[in-house]
Amino acid sequence: VVTPHVQGVLNNKIVQRFPTSVLILDGYFLLIIIICFEITSIEHINYRFAGDDPTKDLALVFLFAGGVYFLFREVVQVLSLISLGFFHSWVTDWTNYLDMLVIVLVFYTGAAMVDDGLGSNDDFRTLCAFTKLVLWAAMIIFFKSIQVDFAVFVDGVFYVVQRLFAFLIAMAVILVMFALMFLVVYSETHTCISKLPEDKDFPHCTFEDSLLKVYTMMMGEIGDAYYDERGSNIAIFLFVGYSFLVVILLSNVVIAIVTDSYKVIKNERAAMVFWSNRLDFVAEMDAIASVKQKIQNPASLLPFSEGGGGGTGSVDSPNGARNSGGSGSYYSDQGAQKREPFKEVWSQLTSLFDPNLYDDIDIDTKTYEFWCYVFFKFLAMFVIIPLWLLAGAGTAGWLWPPQVRKFLFVQKRNTTMNEDLNEEVEKKTNQLQEQIRFLRKKLMGEMVVGRRELTQVRLNLDGITNDFMADLVQVKEIMTSLLELSRGLQPVRDDVNPVNVVSMEEEERLSLEAIRKMQAEEQQQFRMEE
């Protein structure tokens, strides 16, 4: 349901005459029930408690009429879904149970108004209050089904309440704790025992009053008279601790939770819930329309008839429903446009207000054509269009042109969701860029430190190499001295071959070559280690 194509199909289906009329009739009869119940409930409460006879019996008739409408609509819906094999979808939709509760309460309270002996007076008053709660909740759900922004708000409230479950339990524990502490501190004190008028309404003498007082204190109703004049030091300490913990700390915590939770439902779930509900409504209307087609064509109920069950002329709709024949298919947009005789008339009528209508024609204010144009424009604005809109409203949108129905019921295709998604993607992209910049700076710092350490190692290695070379030079000098000393001590022999005699210069050359070879091996090993 989050794809633009599916949302476009749902918008095209919802603006057709039959779904629009059913949707508007639901709103009309729900409003009639609320108004009539408000009138009749006040009158019969006055009759039960004050003896005033009720005078507005017509409101009670309309109240029952609204109940009959919703009962009939619910029965047709259930039978349509059973015929298509989708009764499970009705069972799993909690709004259907709300509709059933509205029907039961309307008929029961109406029966109690007809027969004043049904239930006690206090029970009747309580039942009327509960019925008003259910009726206004049904009105909220109705608005939720026609406006995506209202669906975002309602689903946001439900989601926030779910997220606040743990917080509400903790808050209830804290309130009970402080209520009991205040009750113990003031129990059997002069303030609670005194019969003086100023002490009569002190809130911390009973647990119920103490709990109610700490709750109102959390809402901002904090007074210091109880704690400065009558309380002990312990009561003052409890008052200060309560003010900090509950009034300051918990209030800010609940604000943070609500803000975070509402942002989540706005960005992720609310639009999906709205389009899912619209899909369910469109599927219900399609199911009812299929039953209507079967009633108009009884032969379609036969298993082997043309367009009947299992025939080749049936097509599957996206919700799984089978529509007999080509004329009753789910995507009957072309057929719907052919059945819209007012579309072209409305287009011609609204074209009178086009500011560029006569740009290509030079019309003088003294001509007959100009004043005819002004007259028709005035007639369309103040007579034809208002009467047409009123006629459409009186017929539950049946006489409205498709342009008006689209203006009222077509919702934007996933625009809010895409904007929120783009905003979230941009936010995460900025966070990734910040992290990359931070890692780059950190890596550059580590590279500078590594270069400094490598330079220091090279300097240390050069020092070691220089020391090694100096040691080799000293070894060379010692070896040369020992060689010269050994030559001076050995006698000269005639049998010595001159070729085997190595001169001092040759030995020095060989020593230098050995030293260079050792240095080259050391440098090569150092490069390999790097």
Side-chain angles (χ1 to χ4, degrees):
V1 294
V2 297
T3 59
H5 174 70
V6 175
Q7 294 176 3
V9 172
L10 294 178
N11 282 330
N12 292 333
K13 294 294 292 184
I14 200 70
V15 297
Q16 294 180 7
R17 283 184 174 181
F18 181 66
T20 301
S21 298
V22 173
L23 196 61
I24 294 177
L25 285 175
D26 289 346
Y28 281 174
F29 278 99
L30 184 58
L31 186 62
I32 289 173
I33 288 176
I34 291 176
I35 295 175
C36 294
F37 184 81
E38 183 68 25
I39 296 173
T40 55
S41 61
I42 295 298
E43 281 195 347
H44 283 81
I45 287 175
N46 294 333
Y47 168 71
R48 285 173 176 262
F49 288 92
D52 299 335
D53 293 332
T55 57
K56 297 180 176 61
D57 294 334
L58 185 61
L60 188 60
V61 174
F62 279 105
L63 180 65
F64 280 110
V68 169
Y69 166 79
F70 280 107
L71 179 61
F72 174 76
R73 186 189 183 289
E74 207 68 27
V75 170
V76 172
Q77 177 184 350
V78 170
L79 293 178
S80 302
L81 293 176
I82 291 176
S83 65
L84 296 175
F86 290 100
F87 181 69
H88 177 72
S89 62
W90 186 91
V91 176
T92 55
D93 189 1
W94 66 272
T95 58
N96 294 321
Y97 296 99
L98 180 63
D99 296 336
M100 295 300 298
L101 183 60
V102 168
I103 295 170
V104 171
L105 290 176
V106 166
F107 281 109
Y108 185 80
T109 53
M113 294 174 188
V114 174
D115 183 9
D116 55 356
L118 185 62
S120 63
N121 296 340
D122 292 333
D123 293 340
F124 176 76
R125 180 163 53 187
T126 304
L127 182 62
C128 288
F130 178 73
T131 304
K132 291 181 180 180
L133 172 65
V134 174
L135 291 177
W136 285 108
M139 179 62 74
I140 292 175
I141 299 302
F142 172 76
F143 284 127
K144 172 188 169 184
S145 63
I146 62 174
Q147 287 291 331
V148 63
D149 295 333
F150 205 86
V152 170
F153 171 74
V154 174
D155 291 325
V157 171
F158 285 116
Y159 184 74
V160 167
V161 172
Q162 294 176 1
R163 291 289 301 273
L164 285 176
F165 181 73
F167 172 81
L168 293 176
I169 294 178
M171 184 186 68
V173 172
I174 294 174
L175 292 181
V176 171
M177 176 186 69
F178 276 100
L180 291 174
M181 286 192 293
F182 281 123
L183 178 64
V184 171
V185 169
Y186 286 99
S187 180
E188 298 299 327
T189 60
H190 175 73
T191 303
C192 292
I193 298 176
S194 176
K195 302 297 183 179
L196 297 177
E198 61 270 14
D199 297 331
K200 185 177 180 181
D201 297 329
F202 189 71
H204 297 300
C205 294
T206 61
F207 174 73
E208 294 80 4
D209 294 339
S210 180
L211 183 61
L212 181 61
K213 180 60 181 178
V214 295
Y215 175 76
T216 56
M217 288 169 62
M218 183 184 66
M219 298 292 104
E221 186 181 339
I222 300 176
D224 57 354
Y226 300 135
Y227 311 99
D228 290 340
E229 299 177 1
R230 312 180 189 188
S232 61
N233 294 330
I234 298 177
I236 297 174
F237 175 77
L238 290 178
F239 173 73
V240 173
Y242 177 85
S243 301
F244 174 76
L245 179 61
V246 178
V247 179
I248 298 177
L249 188 60
L250 291 184
S251 299
N252 288 278
V253 169
V254 70
I255 291 173
I257 295 176
V258 170
T259 303
D260 181 67
S261 302
Y262 188 77
K263 185 181 298 184
V264 170
I265 189 66
K266 180 181 178 182
N267 294 339
E268 296 180 1
R269 298 182 53 186
M272 185 182 301
V273 172
F274 170 79
W275 290 107
S276 299
N277 293 336
R278 174 154 289 191
L279 177 62
D280 294 337
F281 178 78
V282 169
E284 293 174 4
M285 296 301 102
D286 186 69
I288 295 174
S290 66
V291 173
K292 178 182 176 182
Q293 292 174 359
K294 291 179 180 180
I295 294 175
Q296 293 177 350
N297 184 18
S300 63
L301 297 176
L302 299 177
F304 299 105
S305 63
E306 183 180 359
T312 59
S314 61
V315 294
D316 291 339
S317 64
N319 60 351
R322 299 184 62 86
N323 299 292
S324 58
S327 61
S329 61
Y330 191 85
Y331 297 103
S332 57
D333 294 337
Q334 296 180 355
Q337 292 178 1
K338 293 179 181 179
R339 294 189 298 270
E340 293 289 353
F342 302 128
K343 181 178 181 179
E344 187 64 27
V345 178
W346 182 267
S347 298
Q348 295 292 334
L349 194 63
T350 54
S351 65
L352 295 174
F353 303 94
D354 186 5
N356 302 321
L357 181 62
Y358 293 108
D359 285 347
D360 300 334
I361 303 176
D362 188 13
I363 298 181
D364 190 7
T365 56
K366 299 180 181 179
T367 60
Y368 173 75
E369 291 80 1
F370 174 78
W371 289 107
C372 287
Y373 166 71
V374 173
F375 172 74
F376 283 114
K377 187 176 182 180
F378 178 83
L379 186 66
M381 179 181 295
F382 295 101
V383 179
I384 299 177
I385 292 179
L387 291 178
W388 197 347
L389 294 177
L390 290 175
T395 57
W398 198 263
L399 296 180
W400 276 340
Q403 293 91 332
V404 176
R405 298 197 295 269
K406 288 181 180 179
F407 176 78
L408 293 176
F409 298 106
V410 169
Q411 298 298 310
K412 294 181 180 180
R413 300 182 184 179
N414 212 16
T415 303
T416 304
M417 203 174 215
N418 289 334
E419 291 178 354
D420 295 334
L421 183 60
N422 294 333
E423 182 180 355
E424 188 70 19
V425 169
E426 184 179 359
K427 182 179 178 181
K428 291 185 177 181
T429 303
N430 295 332
Q431 291 178 355
L432 289 176
Q433 291 177 353
E434 290 293 335
Q435 293 178 0
I436 290 174
R437 283 193 288 266
F438 173 75
L439 292 175
R440 182 180 298 173
K441 291 180 180 179
K442 185 177 179 180
L443 183 60
M444 292 297 294
E446 292 179 353
M447 290 178 62
V448 170
V449 174
R451 288 176 181 175
R452 290 176 181 176
E453 293 178 353
L454 182 60
T455 304
Q456 186 66 30
V457 170
R458 287 180 178 177
L459 293 176
N460 295 334
L461 185 60
D462 291 340
I464 295 172
T465 303
N466 294 332
D467 294 340
F468 182 71
M469 293 297 296
D471 293 338
L472 287 177
V473 171
Q474 291 179 2
V475 170
K476 174 189 172 185
E477 292 176 354
I478 293 172
M479 294 296 293
T480 303
S481 300
L482 291 174
L483 183 61
E484 291 177 354
L485 182 60
S486 63
R487 285 178 179 178
L489 294 177
Q490 291 180 358
V492 181
R493 294 166 47 183
D494 295 336
D495 57 350
V496 175
N497 190 359
V499 181
N500 295 329
V501 177
V502 181
S503 63
M504 183 179 297
E505 290 79 5
E506 185 66 19
E507 291 181 356
E508 183 176 358
R509 185 181 64 80
L510 294 175
S511 300
L512 290 175
E513 289 180 356
I515 291 171
R516 290 192 185 97
K517 185 177 181 180
M518 294 177 62
Q519 289 179 350
E521 292 178 354
E522 291 289 338
Q523 291 178 359
Q524 184 177 3
Q525 185 176 1
F526 175 72
R527 291 193 187 96
M528 292 177 63
E529 291 178 355
E530 289 183 346

